[in-house]
Amino acid sequence: MAEEEETELSDDQKKGIAKWFLVNAPAGEIQYVSKDLKLVLNDDDVYNEAASEAFPVYNKSHLISLKMPGGFGDVLVTSYGELQDNEYLDPKTAQVAIVDHVKQACTKVRPATDEELPSAYVEEYRCALEAEILKYVAEAYPKGSCSVYCTNGKGVEEPGSDFDLVVVIAAARLSPQNFCNGSWRTIWNIEFKDDIQKLELNGKLLVGAHYFEEGNVQLDTKHECRDSTMFQESYFKLSDNTFKDLRRKLPITRTLFPWRSTRQFSLKREISEELGIGK
């Protein structure tokens, strides 16, 4: 029986296989995988094409956090903050990070333009939510990062229109010297439906773990949840002036009610006179 002839893989096939291995690398391990792939392929052109396509996908799916130069802190690499291929908005600092995906590094930053930021009305909600999320992440995740993005309706200027916010939380525990790495990613989509005074909340939790001491065990799991609630802020923020505007300016008697000196009126006295009590 004649031996089957070996078929040489085309460059596109090699690139596709290499890209699959890169995209599916466990948390924090893509650089190790890429180093081995480069040796196996022994073709810089094929490797560079695969890496240029795979690294952005991997970085965004794993919500990696990169340090920005200039002391601006960290930026999350996520599709929710993506402005262009290599530019990512950091809402906390109103800076745009320019990212080198293959090197997994932020090369420089620039101020965000007004068009890239939400309106002052939406920003008030975004900042308030972000402040609470930052407290939560600081308490619950030793090495966590978070951001709150406006993904819809960022131009809304006043009540009466809908807008959406997305909360992104990412944390990784990388310990390759101990043969284990893991990550936690959560994404919360919040829809502000102003017309019906309702909040719709949709959450997705992604957990990954990899143990490779004398073996290879991986865990990848996902959980989704949803909830809704009615607005409460509108009632808490009503001022005294708002309530005063709701009452009748002039009662039926056409006489202004003395709100500042209501003690001169006695409900008991009026009822007694009406019923003839005490006469």
Side-chain angles (χ1 to χ4, degrees):
M1 183 177 180
E3 294 183 2
E4 295 183 3
E5 294 183 0
E6 293 184 1
T7 303
E8 179 71 21
L9 294 177
S10 67
D11 286 349
D12 285 341
Q13 289 175 316
K14 292 178 182 178
K15 186 184 77 172
I17 295 172
K19 185 178 176 181
W20 185 92
F21 276 105
L22 291 170
V23 169
N24 290 279
E29 297 180 34
I30 189 172
Q31 294 291 353
Y32 300 107
V33 174
S34 66
K35 184 178 179 180
D36 290 339
L37 274 174
K38 195 170 185 178
L39 293 174
V40 171
L41 288 172
N42 195 27
D43 188 322
D44 288 345
D45 292 337
V46 172
Y47 168 78
N48 289 334
E49 284 187 31
S52 64
E53 295 178 15
F55 268 86
V57 176
Y58 179 90
N59 293 339
K60 287 183 286 186
S61 65
H62 282 266
L63 307 176
I64 69 168
S65 177
L66 300 176
K67 187 172 293 296
M68 293 185 288
F72 288 106
D74 295 340
V75 61
L76 279 175
V77 178
T78 166
S79 58
Y80 301 105
E82 186 174 20
L83 302 177
Q84 296 183 32
D85 289 341
N86 300 317
E87 294 190 347
Y88 295 87
L89 174 67
D90 178 46
K92 293 189 291 294
T93 60
Q95 298 292 315
V96 176
I98 291 82
V99 172
D100 185 324
H101 280 288
V102 176
K103 293 182 179 179
Q104 292 186 315
C106 177
T107 57
K108 59 182 178 178
V109 296
R110 65 167 177 84
T113 64
D114 291 341
E115 291 74 20
E116 293 168 338
L117 297 172
S119 66
Y121 174 75
V122 174
E123 182 66 7
E124 183 179 359
Y125 283 87
R126 195 204 67 77
C127 283
L129 178 58
E130 186 175 67
E132 296 302 318
I133 295 298
L134 284 168
K135 294 178 186 177
Y136 163 70
V137 171
E139 294 175 359
Y141 302 91
K143 295 182 180 180
S145 300
C146 65
S147 278
V148 179
Y149 304 91
C150 178
T151 56
N152 181 47
K154 69 177 182 179
V156 172
E157 297 285 354
E158 58 186 14
S161 299
D162 301 344
F163 62 92
D164 299 346
L165 297 179
V166 173
V167 176
V168 177
I169 300 173
R173 188 73 176 269
L174 307 178
S175 185
Q177 69 275 15
N178 294 314
F179 307 101
C180 63
N181 296 307
S183 67
W184 174 285
R185 293 158 286 164
T186 51
I187 300 170
W188 301 95
N189 292 275
I190 307 169
E191 300 178 25
F192 289 75
K193 298 184 177 181
D194 191 88
D195 55 340
I196 57 175
Q197 291 287 289
K198 189 177 182 181
L199 292 177
E200 292 282 353
L201 181 67
N202 293 282
K204 180 168 64 175
L205 295 80
L206 302 164
V207 180
H210 184 208
Y211 295 88
F212 48 98
E213 183 176 14
E214 298 182 358
N216 188 346
V217 179
Q218 294 192 51
L219 166 70
D220 286 292
T221 186
K222 178 174 71 172
H223 175 70
E224 296 185 4
C225 54
R226 61 185 306 156
D227 200 357
S228 63
T229 186
M230 303 301 295
F231 280 3
Q232 294 181 350
E233 295 87 348
S234 55
Y235 301 105
F236 292 146
K237 293 183 178 179
L238 286 176
S239 64
D240 293 338
N241 290 334
T242 306
F243 280 111
K244 289 179 182 178
D245 290 339
L246 293 175
R247 66 174 176 261
R248 183 191 291 270
K249 297 294 184 182
L250 287 173
I252 297 177
T253 60
R254 307 297 297 173
T255 302
L256 286 172
F257 187 84
W259 292 96
R260 296 180 180 275
S261 56
T262 57
R263 292 184 179 180
Q264 63 180 294
F265 294 91
S266 171
L267 180 61
K268 179 180 179 181
R269 185 176 69 244
E270 292 180 4
I271 294 176
S272 297
E273 292 175 358
E274 184 71 24
L275 300 179
I277 300 174
K279 291 183 179 180

